[in-house]
Amino acid sequence: MNKIRKVPPKDAFRDAILMNNRTYNDYLDRMRKICLSMFEWVNLPESMNARFIEQCLYYQGQCALLYDSNYGYLNTMASDGSYINIYGLPTEIVCYSYRFNQRRSLYTTDIGMVKDKECILVLNNYDRVPTTYTISLFAYRLAEAQRTADTNIKAQRTPVLITTDQKQYFTLKKMYEEYDGNTPAIFADKNVITPDALKSLKTEAPMILSDIMDYKREIWNEFLTFMGISNLSEKRERMISNEIDSNNELVNLNLQALLIPRKEACKQFNEKYGLMGSKAIDVKVRSDLYNVIKQFESVTDDYNKSYSWNGL
């Protein structure tokens, strides 16, 4: 005779932990996509990869640009390989990737060194701090707020707690299954179900979803500001011009903290390898939002200049 395998009861705690992790990873993925797509690297040699540059900067805070006699121009991960110079940067860089590992001298100024003996260090910011650390904190706070909102919504569905003894537990459970199934009438034995045996407690929770969503919006806008992306925490008509200007200034400063080190690396790369004019590499902000920097650096602006709108 075959034994029937008993399925264990639903583990609510396990499911809650799983949903917590899914929510956190979801917000982390959303923000990482924004971070990795902010900048466009222009005129990179075909042997180089812009996606990998941004991934290295996001996860490690730095990467290396170099020339190799076998592979041509490359971009790799980078780590400190020697003592620190007077400006706080390593004098040698370990340039490594999958099936590639070389030690190179750090390029500072062109002293005529052989082409494949130096490398350019690209910084995510002047502190060489990866973006992922801060993004993880934003994702955690957003996930906590969203899971709190989920719990608050569920609390609206279970406003009553029924108390009874163990003998009548299954009887009451069966009765309320009929209630949940919209049975028009529920019958019970008057000798079994008595007023003293059945009591209920109100467990209704206040609806705070609106406050939670406002908090989430503030966290999301703080993330956008950190990444140098234009945002307004309030409707524009409610803000005075000084508040808008102050927000734009903070956005621009955060954007420059990411953009300037990348541009400096492009300048060094062009100097080191003699790339000029249309062959020079550059980095631009991939956005059509207006602010002081993006007005001049946006690839959308370049696109609009070269495209005829036929008078529309």
Side-chain angles (χ1 to χ4, degrees), residues 45 91 100 123 142 185 212 274 296 308:
T91 55
F100 184 89
L123 307 181
L142 286 168
I212 296 174
F296 299 99
S308 174

Side-chain angles (χ1 to χ4, degrees), residues 20-298:
N20 291 345
N21 291 336
R22 285 180 176 176
T23 305
Y24 169 78
N25 289 329
D26 177 64
Y27 279 114
L28 191 63
D29 289 343
R30 294 191 210 180
M31 290 186 284
R32 182 172 59 243
K33 290 175 184 177
I34 294 175
C35 297
L36 295 179
S37 61
M38 278 189 59
F39 300 103
E40 177 164 345
W41 292 78
V42 182
N43 291 335
L44 281 182
E46 293 183 359
S47 55
M48 301 179 74
N49 188 285
R51 173 192 59 82
F52 193 58
I53 291 177
E54 288 300 327
Q55 283 184 336
C56 291
L57 296 177
Y58 178 86
Y59 287 111
Q60 299 181 357
Q62 60 185 15
C63 70
L65 309 180
L66 62 147
Y67 177 83
D68 181 77
S69 57
N70 295 321
Y71 296 100
Y73 294 107
L74 293 176
N75 55 277
T76 68
M77 293 176 273
S79 62
D80 297 3
S82 185
Y83 61 88
I84 303 299
N85 64 19
I86 60 174
Y87 297 115
L89 293 174
T91 55
E92 290 187 354
I93 303 294
V94 177
C95 306
Y96 67 98
S97 188
Y98 309 100
R99 301 175 63 184
F100 184 89
N101 191 303
Q102 288 188 10
R103 183 182 294 267
R104 296 290 185 92
S105 298
L106 175 67
Y107 175 84
T108 52
T109 57
D110 191 2
I111 57 176
M113 187 173 286
V114 180
K115 192 175 183 180
D116 59 356
K117 297 297 182 182
E118 291 181 311
C119 72
I120 285 80
L121 185 64
V122 188
L123 307 181
N124 186 47
N125 48 61
Y126 281 148
D127 287 331
R128 296 195 288 169
V129 176
T131 310
T132 184
Y133 297 156
T134 304
I135 301 306
S136 297
L137 292 176
F138 283 129
Y140 169 77
R141 291 165 185 155
L142 286 168
E144 285 287 292
Q146 182 58 53
R147 294 298 291 137
T148 302
D150 294 341
T151 303
N152 186 243
I153 291 173
K154 284 188 176 181
Q156 310 307 311
R157 299 175 56 187
T158 55
V160 178
L161 174 66
I162 300 173
T163 62
T164 185
D165 56 39
Q166 188 65 31
K167 295 180 180 179
Q168 296 180 342
Y169 170 77
F170 289 103
T171 302
L172 290 173
K173 183 178 179 182
K174 179 63 176 178
M175 288 174 55
Y176 274 87
E177 284 177 354
E178 295 180 12
Y179 170 79
D180 191 49
N182 296 321
T183 303
I186 301 174
F187 300 94
D189 188 339
K190 66 179 182 180
N191 296 320
V192 176
I193 304 299
T194 63
D196 293 334
L198 179 61
K199 295 181 180 180
S200 64
L201 301 174
K202 288 188 175 182
T203 60
E204 55 189 0
M207 188 66 167
I208 58 173
L209 188 60
S210 178
D211 293 335
I212 296 174
M213 298 309 291
D214 288 341
Y215 171 74
K216 279 183 59 181
R217 192 175 298 110
E218 288 297 323
I219 297 299
W220 185 261
N221 285 333
E222 185 179 351
F223 154 69
L224 294 177
T225 299
F226 169 74
M227 291 305 301
I229 301 173
S230 180
N231 68 91
L232 290 175
S233 57
E234 301 180 50
K235 291 185 177 180
R236 181 175 290 271
E237 58 268 20
R238 296 180 182 176
M239 300 180 67
I240 61 177
S241 60
N242 288 341
E243 291 175 329
I244 296 175
D245 292 341
S246 177
N247 181 75
N248 289 339
E249 183 177 4
L250 183 58
V251 167
N252 284 326
L253 288 173
N254 279 295
L255 180 60
Q256 290 181 65
L258 299 170
L259 181 62
I260 291 176
R262 287 164 169 80
K263 280 191 167 292
E264 289 180 354
C266 290
K267 180 182 178 182
Q268 290 182 341
F269 187 86
N270 294 330
E271 289 176 350
K272 170 63 181 176
Y273 300 112
L275 303 178
M276 297 180 293
S278 60
K279 293 184 178 180
I281 71 169
D282 195 11
V283 61
K284 295 184 178 181
V285 180
R286 186 185 280 121
S287 174
D288 59 354
L289 297 177
Y290 174 86
N291 64 43
V292 176
I293 295 178
K294 295 175 185 176
Q295 174 71 6
F296 299 99
E297 300 296 341
S298 174

